[in-house]
Amino acid sequence: ALMTDAAVLGAADVAAALGTATPAGPVSRAVPGPVVPPPPGSAAAPPPPAQAATALSDIRPLDEMVGELESRAILQALAATGGNKLAAARLLGIARATLYQKLALAERLAADRLPVTR
C-alpha cells in the first residue's frame, strides 16, 4: 500500500516493503540536519575498519558491480513471475525492451567469462 508523505510507517509496513526483518519501533521521515558521529570509543561508535587491504581487493569497476546487481534482480523477478518477462519487467519497473536488452548483455558478459577450451 502506498503511503502519503505525512504518514508514519509501521515496522511491519517497512519490513514488508523491504523484505527484511521487522525493525524495532515506527519509522518516519528523516529530519534534515547535520549528522554528528559519536565520539570515538563510545558504545555507539562503529568498530574500526577491518583490514583495509582486504576491502580494497574487493572493489571492482562500478559498471561490473551494477551489472551483477541488475542480473540478480532480473533473475529474482523472473523466478517470482515463473519466467514471464513482461511481468518481471513490470515488477522491476522497467520496460520489457529494457529487460530484453539487459538479458542479452548479461548473456554476452557471461560468455566472455567462460574459460576457453581447446
Side-chain angles (χ1 to χ4, degrees):
L2 297 175
M3 301 279 205
T4 64
D5 285 325
V8 174
L9 301 176
D13 296 320
V14 173
L18 297 176
T20 60
T22 304
V27 177
S28 61
R29 292 190 321 254
V31 178
V35 175
V36 180
S42 71
Q51 304 266 339
T54 302
L56 289 177
S57 68
D58 292 337
I59 296 175
R60 294 177 288 144
L62 183 59
D63 60 339
E64 184 180 316
M65 293 170 58
V66 169
E68 184 179 307
L69 178 63
E70 282 183 344
S71 294
R72 279 191 274 149
I74 288 169
L75 290 174
Q76 288 175 346
L78 287 169
T81 61
N84 185 322
K85 291 182 178 112
L86 178 58
R90 287 181 178 162
L91 185 64
L92 293 168
I94 60 176
R96 186 184 60 177
T98 302
L99 177 69
Y100 277 99
Q101 290 170 350
K102 292 185 181 293
L103 285 170
L105 177 61
E107 288 175 9
R108 285 194 306 269
L109 291 175
D112 289 345
R113 293 183 186 165
L114 291 176
V116 177
T117 56
R118 295 179 188 204

PDB file of all heavy atoms in Angstrom, residues 2-38:
ATOM      1  N   LEU A   2       0.469   2.243  -0.774  1.00  0.00           N
ATOM      2  CA  LEU A   2       1.233   3.479  -0.828  1.00  0.00           C
ATOM      3  C   LEU A   2       0.826   4.376   0.316  1.00  0.00           C
ATOM      4  O   LEU A   2      -0.326   4.450   0.691  1.00  0.00           O
ATOM      5  CB  LEU A   2       1.002   4.198  -2.148  1.00  0.00           C
ATOM      6  CG  LEU A   2       1.464   3.444  -3.397  1.00  0.00           C
ATOM      7  CD1 LEU A   2       1.068   4.218  -4.641  1.00  0.00           C
ATOM      8  CD2 LEU A   2       2.956   3.238  -3.356  1.00  0.00           C
ATOM      9  N   MET A   3       1.784   5.081   0.861  1.00  0.00           N
ATOM     10  CA  MET A   3       1.536   5.983   1.979  1.00  0.00           C
ATOM     11  C   MET A   3       1.767   7.418   1.506  1.00  0.00           C
ATOM     12  O   MET A   3       2.533   7.659   0.610  1.00  0.00           O
ATOM     13  CB  MET A   3       2.507   5.679   3.126  1.00  0.00           C
ATOM     14  CG  MET A   3       2.422   4.278   3.651  1.00  0.00           C
ATOM     15  SD  MET A   3       1.062   4.313   4.736  1.00  0.00           S
ATOM     16  CE  MET A   3       1.279   3.069   5.862  1.00  0.00           C
ATOM     17  N   THR A   4       1.140   8.384   2.182  1.00  0.00           N
ATOM     18  CA  THR A   4       1.393   9.786   1.879  1.00  0.00           C
ATOM     19  C   THR A   4       2.653  10.214   2.603  1.00  0.00           C
ATOM     20  O   THR A   4       3.150   9.537   3.490  1.00  0.00           O
ATOM     21  CB  THR A   4       0.212  10.659   2.347  1.00  0.00           C
ATOM     22  OG1 THR A   4       0.120  10.576   3.769  1.00  0.00           O
ATOM     23  CG2 THR A   4      -1.086  10.231   1.687  1.00  0.00           C
ATOM     24  N   ASP A   5       3.170  11.403   2.224  1.00  0.00           N
ATOM     25  CA  ASP A   5       4.389  11.903   2.846  1.00  0.00           C
ATOM     26  C   ASP A   5       4.213  12.130   4.344  1.00  0.00           C
ATOM     27  O   ASP A   5       5.157  12.044   5.107  1.00  0.00           O
ATOM     28  CB  ASP A   5       4.830  13.216   2.203  1.00  0.00           C
ATOM     29  CG  ASP A   5       5.453  12.984   0.842  1.00  0.00           C
ATOM     30  OD1 ASP A   5       6.114  11.951   0.684  1.00  0.00           O
ATOM     31  OD2 ASP A   5       5.273  13.827  -0.039  1.00  0.00           O
ATOM     32  N   ALA A   6       3.009  12.440   4.759  1.00  0.00           N
ATOM     33  CA  ALA A   6       2.775  12.747   6.160  1.00  0.00           C
ATOM     34  C   ALA A   6       2.599  11.495   7.013  1.00  0.00           C
ATOM     35  O   ALA A   6       2.577  11.572   8.226  1.00  0.00           O
ATOM     36  CB  ALA A   6       1.542  13.632   6.299  1.00  0.00           C
ATOM     37  N   ALA A   7       2.474  10.347   6.392  1.00  0.00           N
ATOM     38  CA  ALA A   7       2.196   9.117   7.140  1.00  0.00           C
ATOM     39  C   ALA A   7       3.446   8.596   7.831  1.00  0.00           C
ATOM     40  O   ALA A   7       4.555   8.761   7.358  1.00  0.00           O
ATOM     41  CB  ALA A   7       1.650   8.056   6.200  1.00  0.00           C
ATOM     42  N   VAL A   8       3.228   7.963   8.956  1.00  0.00           N
ATOM     43  CA  VAL A   8       4.293   7.270   9.666  1.00  0.00           C
ATOM     44  C   VAL A   8       4.107   5.794   9.388  1.00  0.00           C
ATOM     45  O   VAL A   8       3.034   5.247   9.593  1.00  0.00           O
ATOM     46  CB  VAL A   8       4.233   7.556  11.192  1.00  0.00           C
ATOM     47  CG1 VAL A   8       5.256   6.720  11.926  1.00  0.00           C
ATOM     48  CG2 VAL A   8       4.442   9.030  11.447  1.00  0.00           C
ATOM     49  N   LEU A   9       5.147   5.156   8.896  1.00  0.00           N
ATOM     50  CA  LEU A   9       5.055   3.747   8.555  1.00  0.00           C
ATOM     51  C   LEU A   9       5.257   2.898   9.797  1.00  0.00           C
ATOM     52  O   LEU A   9       6.129   3.176  10.611  1.00  0.00           O
ATOM     53  CB  LEU A   9       6.119   3.382   7.516  1.00  0.00           C
ATOM     54  CG  LEU A   9       6.053   4.144   6.194  1.00  0.00           C
ATOM     55  CD1 LEU A   9       7.225   3.744   5.324  1.00  0.00           C
ATOM     56  CD2 LEU A   9       4.762   3.869   5.490  1.00  0.00           C
ATOM     57  N   GLY A  10       4.483   1.847   9.898  1.00  0.00           N
ATOM     58  CA  GLY A  10       4.680   0.902  10.973  1.00  0.00           C
ATOM     59  C   GLY A  10       5.840  -0.022  10.642  1.00  0.00           C
ATOM     60  O   GLY A  10       6.249  -0.161   9.492  1.00  0.00           O
ATOM     61  N   ALA A  11       6.393  -0.676  11.635  1.00  0.00           N
ATOM     62  CA  ALA A  11       7.534  -1.561  11.449  1.00  0.00           C
ATOM     63  C   ALA A  11       7.214  -2.680  10.466  1.00  0.00           C
ATOM     64  O   ALA A  11       8.034  -3.042   9.627  1.00  0.00           O
ATOM     65  CB  ALA A  11       7.970  -2.136  12.797  1.00  0.00           C
ATOM     66  N   ALA A  12       6.013  -3.213  10.530  1.00  0.00           N
ATOM     67  CA  ALA A  12       5.634  -4.305   9.635  1.00  0.00           C
ATOM     68  C   ALA A  12       5.551  -3.815   8.193  1.00  0.00           C
ATOM     69  O   ALA A  12       5.921  -4.540   7.268  1.00  0.00           O
ATOM     70  CB  ALA A  12       4.308  -4.907  10.073  1.00  0.00           C
ATOM     71  N   ASP A  13       5.064  -2.557   7.975  1.00  0.00           N
ATOM     72  CA  ASP A  13       4.994  -1.995   6.626  1.00  0.00           C
ATOM     73  C   ASP A  13       6.385  -1.870   6.016  1.00  0.00           C
ATOM     74  O   ASP A  13       6.608  -2.219   4.857  1.00  0.00           O
ATOM     75  CB  ASP A  13       4.336  -0.614   6.635  1.00  0.00           C
ATOM     76  CG  ASP A  13       2.894  -0.670   7.092  1.00  0.00           C
ATOM     77  OD1 ASP A  13       2.180  -1.613   6.713  1.00  0.00           O
ATOM     78  OD2 ASP A  13       2.495   0.245   7.832  1.00  0.00           O
ATOM     79  N   VAL A  14       7.328  -1.372   6.803  1.00  0.00           N
ATOM     80  CA  VAL A  14       8.695  -1.192   6.322  1.00  0.00           C
ATOM     81  C   VAL A  14       9.315  -2.546   6.022  1.00  0.00           C
ATOM     82  O   VAL A  14       9.933  -2.746   4.985  1.00  0.00           O
ATOM     83  CB  VAL A  14       9.547  -0.412   7.350  1.00  0.00           C
ATOM     84  CG1 VAL A  14      11.002  -0.380   6.928  1.00  0.00           C
ATOM     85  CG2 VAL A  14       9.011   0.996   7.514  1.00  0.00           C
ATOM     86  N   ALA A  15       9.131  -3.499   6.916  1.00  0.00           N
ATOM     87  CA  ALA A  15       9.700  -4.831   6.710  1.00  0.00           C
ATOM     88  C   ALA A  15       9.117  -5.489   5.476  1.00  0.00           C
ATOM     89  O   ALA A  15       9.835  -6.098   4.689  1.00  0.00           O
ATOM     90  CB  ALA A  15       9.464  -5.700   7.940  1.00  0.00           C
ATOM     91  N   ALA A  16       7.824  -5.337   5.255  1.00  0.00           N
ATOM     92  CA  ALA A  16       7.183  -5.939   4.093  1.00  0.00           C
ATOM     93  C   ALA A  16       7.694  -5.290   2.808  1.00  0.00           C
ATOM     94  O   ALA A  16       7.951  -5.975   1.818  1.00  0.00           O
ATOM     95  CB  ALA A  16       5.671  -5.805   4.187  1.00  0.00           C
ATOM     96  N   ALA A  17       7.854  -3.981   2.825  1.00  0.00           N
ATOM     97  CA  ALA A  17       8.325  -3.272   1.629  1.00  0.00           C
ATOM     98  C   ALA A  17       9.766  -3.617   1.298  1.00  0.00           C
ATOM     99  O   ALA A  17      10.145  -3.718   0.140  1.00  0.00           O
ATOM    100  CB  ALA A  17       8.186  -1.767   1.829  1.00  0.00           C
ATOM    101  N   LEU A  18      10.579  -3.807   2.318  1.00  0.00           N
ATOM    102  CA  LEU A  18      11.992  -4.082   2.101  1.00  0.00           C
ATOM    103  C   LEU A  18      12.308  -5.566   2.061  1.00  0.00           C
ATOM    104  O   LEU A  18      13.405  -5.958   1.677  1.00  0.00           O
ATOM    105  CB  LEU A  18      12.842  -3.417   3.191  1.00  0.00           C
ATOM    106  CG  LEU A  18      12.779  -1.897   3.245  1.00  0.00           C
ATOM    107  CD1 LEU A  18      13.576  -1.387   4.416  1.00  0.00           C
ATOM    108  CD2 LEU A  18      13.272  -1.296   1.958  1.00  0.00           C
ATOM    109  N   GLY A  19      11.373  -6.398   2.475  1.00  0.00           N
ATOM    110  CA  GLY A  19      11.628  -7.833   2.503  1.00  0.00           C
ATOM    111  C   GLY A  19      12.655  -8.204   3.559  1.00  0.00           C
ATOM    112  O   GLY A  19      13.467  -9.096   3.362  1.00  0.00           O
ATOM    113  N   THR A  20      12.637  -7.487   4.681  1.00  0.00           N
ATOM    114  CA  THR A  20      13.612  -7.720   5.740  1.00  0.00           C
ATOM    115  C   THR A  20      12.891  -8.027   7.045  1.00  0.00           C
ATOM    116  O   THR A  20      11.664  -8.006   7.114  1.00  0.00           O
ATOM    117  CB  THR A  20      14.491  -6.470   5.969  1.00  0.00           C
ATOM    118  OG1 THR A  20      13.641  -5.377   6.353  1.00  0.00           O
ATOM    119  CG2 THR A  20      15.257  -6.109   4.719  1.00  0.00           C
ATOM    120  N   ALA A  21      13.676  -8.281   8.070  1.00  0.00           N
ATOM    121  CA  ALA A  21      13.117  -8.494   9.400  1.00  0.00           C
ATOM    122  C   ALA A  21      12.484  -7.197   9.876  1.00  0.00           C
ATOM    123  O   ALA A  21      12.841  -6.110   9.452  1.00  0.00           O
ATOM    124  CB  ALA A  21      14.212  -8.931  10.362  1.00  0.00           C
ATOM    125  N   THR A  22      11.543  -7.291  10.775  1.00  0.00           N
ATOM    126  CA  THR A  22      10.829  -6.124  11.282  1.00  0.00           C
ATOM    127  C   THR A  22      11.756  -5.264  12.136  1.00  0.00           C
ATOM    128  O   THR A  22      12.348  -5.751  13.094  1.00  0.00           O
ATOM    129  CB  THR A  22       9.628  -6.574  12.143  1.00  0.00           C
ATOM    130  OG1 THR A  22       8.817  -7.424  11.339  1.00  0.00           O
ATOM    131  CG2 THR A  22       8.840  -5.392  12.628  1.00  0.00           C
ATOM    132  N   PRO A  23      11.917  -3.963  11.783  1.00  0.00           N
ATOM    133  CA  PRO A  23      12.737  -3.092  12.614  1.00  0.00           C
ATOM    134  C   PRO A  23      12.013  -2.772  13.918  1.00  0.00           C
ATOM    135  O   PRO A  23      10.792  -2.903  14.001  1.00  0.00           O
ATOM    136  CB  PRO A  23      12.914  -1.838  11.760  1.00  0.00           C
ATOM    137  CG  PRO A  23      11.753  -1.835  10.832  1.00  0.00           C
ATOM    138  CD  PRO A  23      11.387  -3.284  10.615  1.00  0.00           C
ATOM    139  N   ALA A  24      12.758  -2.363  14.917  1.00  0.00           N
ATOM    140  CA  ALA A  24      12.165  -2.037  16.206  1.00  0.00           C
ATOM    141  C   ALA A  24      11.551  -0.644  16.145  1.00  0.00           C
ATOM    142  O   ALA A  24      12.221   0.315  15.824  1.00  0.00           O
ATOM    143  CB  ALA A  24      13.228  -2.087  17.298  1.00  0.00           C
ATOM    144  N   GLY A  25      10.263  -0.516  16.430  1.00  0.00           N
ATOM    145  CA  GLY A  25       9.593   0.767  16.516  1.00  0.00           C
ATOM    146  C   GLY A  25       9.170   1.326  15.174  1.00  0.00           C
ATOM    147  O   GLY A  25       9.523   0.805  14.136  1.00  0.00           O
ATOM    148  N   PRO A  26       8.386   2.426  15.208  1.00  0.00           N
ATOM    149  CA  PRO A  26       7.920   3.030  13.960  1.00  0.00           C
ATOM    150  C   PRO A  26       9.051   3.742  13.232  1.00  0.00           C
ATOM    151  O   PRO A  26      10.039   4.136  13.830  1.00  0.00           O
ATOM    152  CB  PRO A  26       6.856   4.019  14.429  1.00  0.00           C
ATOM    153  CG  PRO A  26       7.224   4.339  15.823  1.00  0.00           C
ATOM    154  CD  PRO A  26       7.877   3.093  16.378  1.00  0.00           C
ATOM    155  N   VAL A  27       8.886   3.890  11.929  1.00  0.00           N
ATOM    156  CA  VAL A  27       9.864   4.576  11.103  1.00  0.00           C
ATOM    157  C   VAL A  27       9.164   5.757  10.467  1.00  0.00           C
ATOM    158  O   VAL A  27       8.087   5.609   9.913  1.00  0.00           O
ATOM    159  CB  VAL A  27      10.402   3.630  10.001  1.00  0.00           C
ATOM    160  CG1 VAL A  27      11.377   4.359   9.095  1.00  0.00           C
ATOM    161  CG2 VAL A  27      11.045   2.412  10.624  1.00  0.00           C
ATOM    162  N   SER A  28       9.752   6.927  10.558  1.00  0.00           N
ATOM    163  CA  SER A  28       9.160   8.101   9.935  1.00  0.00           C
ATOM    164  C   SER A  28      10.211   8.778   9.079  1.00  0.00           C
ATOM    165  O   SER A  28      11.367   8.378   9.060  1.00  0.00           O
ATOM    166  CB  SER A  28       8.627   9.072  10.994  1.00  0.00           C
ATOM    167  OG  SER A  28       9.680   9.511  11.814  1.00  0.00           O
ATOM    168  N   ARG A  29       9.802   9.826   8.361  1.00  0.00           N
ATOM    169  CA  ARG A  29      10.746  10.541   7.504  1.00  0.00           C
ATOM    170  C   ARG A  29      11.862  11.117   8.344  1.00  0.00           C
ATOM    171  O   ARG A  29      11.669  11.584   9.461  1.00  0.00           O
ATOM    172  CB  ARG A  29      10.027  11.663   6.781  1.00  0.00           C
ATOM    173  CG  ARG A  29       9.028  11.178   5.772  1.00  0.00           C
ATOM    174  CD  ARG A  29       8.533  12.326   4.918  1.00  0.00           C
ATOM    175  NE  ARG A  29       8.337  13.537   5.680  1.00  0.00           N
ATOM    176  CZ  ARG A  29       7.150  14.018   6.010  1.00  0.00           C
ATOM    177  NH1 ARG A  29       6.075  13.409   5.638  1.00  0.00           N
ATOM    178  NH2 ARG A  29       7.050  15.119   6.698  1.00  0.00           N
ATOM    179  N   ALA A  30      13.058  11.109   7.774  1.00  0.00           N
ATOM    180  CA  ALA A  30      14.212  11.682   8.452  1.00  0.00           C
ATOM    181  C   ALA A  30      14.097  13.205   8.445  1.00  0.00           C
ATOM    182  O   ALA A  30      13.632  13.799   7.485  1.00  0.00           O
ATOM    183  CB  ALA A  30      15.503  11.260   7.770  1.00  0.00           C
ATOM    184  N   VAL A  31      14.517  13.826   9.506  1.00  0.00           N
ATOM    185  CA  VAL A  31      14.526  15.277   9.603  1.00  0.00           C
ATOM    186  C   VAL A  31      15.885  15.756   9.128  1.00  0.00           C
ATOM    187  O   VAL A  31      16.911  15.294   9.617  1.00  0.00           O
ATOM    188  CB  VAL A  31      14.279  15.733  11.061  1.00  0.00           C
ATOM    189  CG1 VAL A  31      14.342  17.236  11.168  1.00  0.00           C
ATOM    190  CG2 VAL A  31      12.947  15.200  11.551  1.00  0.00           C
ATOM    191  N   PRO A  32      15.935  16.650   8.126  1.00  0.00           N
ATOM    192  CA  PRO A  32      17.230  17.101   7.635  1.00  0.00           C
ATOM    193  C   PRO A  32      18.008  17.806   8.720  1.00  0.00           C
ATOM    194  O   PRO A  32      17.456  18.509   9.551  1.00  0.00           O
ATOM    195  CB  PRO A  32      16.893  18.048   6.487  1.00  0.00           C
ATOM    196  CG  PRO A  32      15.417  18.145   6.411  1.00  0.00           C
ATOM    197  CD  PRO A  32      14.828  17.261   7.456  1.00  0.00           C
ATOM    198  N   GLY A  33      19.288  17.639   8.723  1.00  0.00           N
ATOM    199  CA  GLY A  33      20.153  18.281   9.691  1.00  0.00           C
ATOM    200  C   GLY A  33      21.517  17.645   9.649  1.00  0.00           C
ATOM    201  O   GLY A  33      21.730  16.637   8.980  1.00  0.00           O
ATOM    202  N   PRO A  34      22.466  18.222  10.359  1.00  0.00           N
ATOM    203  CA  PRO A  34      23.816  17.670  10.332  1.00  0.00           C
ATOM    204  C   PRO A  34      23.874  16.311  11.031  1.00  0.00           C
ATOM    205  O   PRO A  34      23.151  16.050  11.982  1.00  0.00           O
ATOM    206  CB  PRO A  34      24.639  18.711  11.086  1.00  0.00           C
ATOM    207  CG  PRO A  34      23.659  19.418  11.963  1.00  0.00           C
ATOM    208  CD  PRO A  34      22.341  19.378  11.218  1.00  0.00           C
ATOM    209  N   VAL A  35      24.719  15.466  10.520  1.00  0.00           N
ATOM    210  CA  VAL A  35      24.936  14.165  11.137  1.00  0.00           C
ATOM    211  C   VAL A  35      26.194  14.271  11.968  1.00  0.00           C
ATOM    212  O   VAL A  35      27.266  14.579  11.455  1.00  0.00           O
ATOM    213  CB  VAL A  35      25.098  13.065  10.059  1.00  0.00           C
ATOM    214  CG1 VAL A  35      25.432  11.735  10.690  1.00  0.00           C
ATOM    215  CG2 VAL A  35      23.844  12.981   9.220  1.00  0.00           C
ATOM    216  N   VAL A  36      26.058  14.059  13.260  1.00  0.00           N
ATOM    217  CA  VAL A  36      27.191  14.156  14.171  1.00  0.00           C
ATOM    218  C   VAL A  36      27.575  12.749  14.598  1.00  0.00           C
ATOM    219  O   VAL A  36      26.774  12.051  15.217  1.00  0.00           O
ATOM    220  CB  VAL A  36      26.835  15.015  15.412  1.00  0.00           C
ATOM    221  CG1 VAL A  36      28.009  15.117  16.354  1.00  0.00           C
ATOM    222  CG2 VAL A  36      26.349  16.376  14.974  1.00  0.00           C
ATOM    223  N   PRO A  37      28.794  12.303  14.233  1.00  0.00           N
ATOM    224  CA  PRO A  37      29.193  10.954  14.624  1.00  0.00           C
ATOM    225  C   PRO A  37      29.442  10.874  16.124  1.00  0.00           C
ATOM    226  O   PRO A  37      29.792  11.870  16.763  1.00  0.00           O
ATOM    227  CB  PRO A  37      30.488  10.726  13.841  1.00  0.00           C
ATOM    228  CG  PRO A  37      31.014  12.089  13.558  1.00  0.00           C
ATOM    229  CD  PRO A  37      29.815  12.996  13.476  1.00  0.00           C
ATOM    230  N   PRO A  38      29.241   9.706  16.706  1.00  0.00           N
ATOM    231  CA  PRO A  38      29.516   9.555  18.135  1.00  0.00           C
ATOM    232  C   PRO A  38      31.011   9.660  18.394  1.00  0.00           C
ATOM    233  O   PRO A  38      31.820   9.405  17.508  1.00  0.00           O
ATOM    234  CB  PRO A  38      28.999   8.152  18.450  1.00  0.00           C
ATOM    235  CG  PRO A  38      28.973   7.447  17.146  1.00  0.00           C
ATOM    236  CD  PRO A  38      28.771   8.487  16.099  1.00  0.00           C
TER     237      PRO A  38
END
